[in-house]
Amino acid sequence: MSTTEIKNGYKQHAALAQLHRWYLLYEEPKYGIANALDILDKDIRVKSGLGEAKGHEQYAARVKQLPTTWKNAHDVKSTNVTINDDGSMLLTTDITYLNQGLLNDDAVRSAKLSYTMSLTPSDSVLPKFTDIEIEQNSEGTAEAFVPRYAQNRLRSVVHYWLALIEDPSRNAEPVKEILAENFSLNFSSGAITDFEGFSKWLAGPGSQISASTHKVSNFSFKPLGDDRYEVEMDFDWNGILPNGKEMTAKTHHNWTVVDDRTERFARIQKVDVKVLEPFAPKP
């Protein structure tokens, strides 16, 4: 991983958080149009096989026309984020889209779609989409409908968490939105059970490097009931010390996440961390 990639890692995670949020309204109506518009610039342009919409009002009207009986699922297969010198970004992604409701006899429509998405910086760590083009590459059917709401919901909060803790501003305040009541963060440096403790960690042990980023792998989850989920994943960490020396580490994370589907993000209730590879100089 290059020095530039490490320094821009938090921007990439922020873009990916917004990508996974893009699909949520189509997969869970309770998410609400206000949350969907929250990720879009006021002058957004969305172009697809359904036509073109410009601005919040046109986009909201188009979404409102979609049948409420449809079931939709978006399985993200690959992503690429390019970060420009002015902070704008280009995000491309390929997905498999499933729909149940359009075809007769509850048949499941399947399509491979490619997205080209432009984003612009905002007044928070999360950028906003300014332009989205969707191209269909194939058309077919699937044997069964596989929901993807939970996958996109959980991936969005993981990427947002990483964007916030990697952000060089070390601003703890936005993290409140994604922490549940009575949360417990059991880091290798010790347990954190209140926001004051988290703020001190972010300003202390969390800031002893000039830049860092995490690559997520082996992501999996299982429902625990009552809109609670267990999430398992590995983080490959790359960091740069103040003296310019690069370091690496690898950890395994087990999270408990609670989901109020009307909120912008799900919330982290518990984090358990296991060190797989301790901090060491980059080979």
Side-chain angles (χ1 to χ4, degrees):
M1 185 176 293
S2 70
T3 299
T4 299
E5 288 173 328
I6 295 173
K7 291 181 176 179
N8 284 335
Y10 76 100
K11 296 179 182 179
Q12 177 165 317
H13 283 302
L16 293 175
Q18 298 293 66
L19 170 66
H20 288 285
R21 291 178 71 199
W22 162 257
Y23 300 114
L24 296 180
L25 179 63
Y26 299 100
E27 298 175 339
E28 174 48 81
K30 290 180 182 178
Y31 185 63
I33 188 64
N35 285 327
L37 296 178
D38 179 66
I39 69 174
L40 305 178
D41 183 81
K42 63 181 179 63
D43 297 318
I44 180 68
R45 183 185 79 102
V46 180
K47 184 178 180 181
S48 71
L50 297 176
E52 183 173 297
K54 293 183 177 180
H56 280 193
E57 187 174 342
Q58 284 189 16
Y59 174 72
R62 194 177 86 173
V63 170
K64 191 175 181 180
Q65 294 174 357
L66 297 175
T68 57
T69 55
W70 280 9
K71 294 180 181 179
N72 301 293
H74 308 79
D75 187 12
V76 176
K77 296 298 187 182
S78 65
T79 60
N80 184 72
V81 180
T82 301
I83 302 171
N84 302 314
D85 292 339
D86 63 358
S88 64
M89 303 182 216
L90 180 66
L91 192 164
T92 58
T93 183
D94 293 322
I95 76 159
T96 298
Y97 168 66
L98 298 181
N99 169 280
Q100 191 171 39
L102 176 65
L103 304 179
N104 294 329
D105 300 322
D106 277 340
V108 178
R109 175 179 176 247
S110 175
K112 294 187 183 300
L113 306 178
S114 294
Y115 289 69
T116 302
M117 315 170 90
S118 299
L119 302 99
T120 189
S122 72
D123 57 1
S124 75
V125 73
L126 293 170
K128 290 183 181 287
F129 291 108
T130 56
D131 194 89
I132 298 174
E133 288 202 9
I134 308 168
E135 181 179 349
Q136 181 172 319
N137 302 316
S138 72
E139 175 84 21
T141 58
E143 291 184 3
F145 179 83
V146 181
R148 295 295 178 183
Y149 166 78
Q151 176 173 283
N152 285 313
R153 184 65 156 165
L154 297 170
R155 281 191 175 274
S156 70
V157 74
V158 168
H159 285 296
Y160 188 34
W161 162 265
L162 292 173
L164 290 173
I165 67 169
E166 294 174 5
D167 182 359
S169 70
R170 304 296 174 188
N171 182 9
E173 196 63 27
V175 182
K176 283 183 178 178
E177 180 183 16
I178 58 173
L179 293 176
E181 291 185 18
N182 302 316
F183 68 85
S184 176
L185 308 177
N186 300 309
F187 295 153
S188 56
S189 56
I192 299 171
T193 57
D194 57 46
F195 188 72
E196 181 181 0
F198 172 78
S199 299
K200 290 180 179 179
W201 173 84
L202 193 63
S207 66
Q208 292 176 357
I209 49 172
S210 60
S212 71
T213 194
H214 303 72
K215 182 180 179 181
V216 183
S217 62
N218 299 321
F219 176 92
S220 66
F221 69 91
K222 64 180 180 182
L224 301 175
D226 298 323
D227 283 326
R228 296 170 68 248
Y229 299 90
E230 180 182 10
V231 181
E232 299 262 2
M233 58 200 153
D234 293 333
F235 288 165
D236 285 285
W237 178 88
N238 285 261
I240 304 172
L241 299 178
N243 63 7
K245 189 175 184 178
E246 295 188 16
M247 305 288 289
T248 64
K250 186 170 186 174
T251 54
H252 177 77
H253 280 236
N254 179 288
W255 290 14
T256 302
V257 177
V258 295
D259 185 21
D260 178 342
R261 301 186 180 205
T262 66
E263 294 187 331
R264 294 204 313 165
F265 290 95
R267 293 175 180 263
I268 302 166
Q269 186 174 64
K270 185 179 180 182
V271 172
D272 288 319
V273 179
K274 179 182 178 182
V275 176
L276 300 179
E277 298 175 10
F279 293 104
K282 182 178 179 180

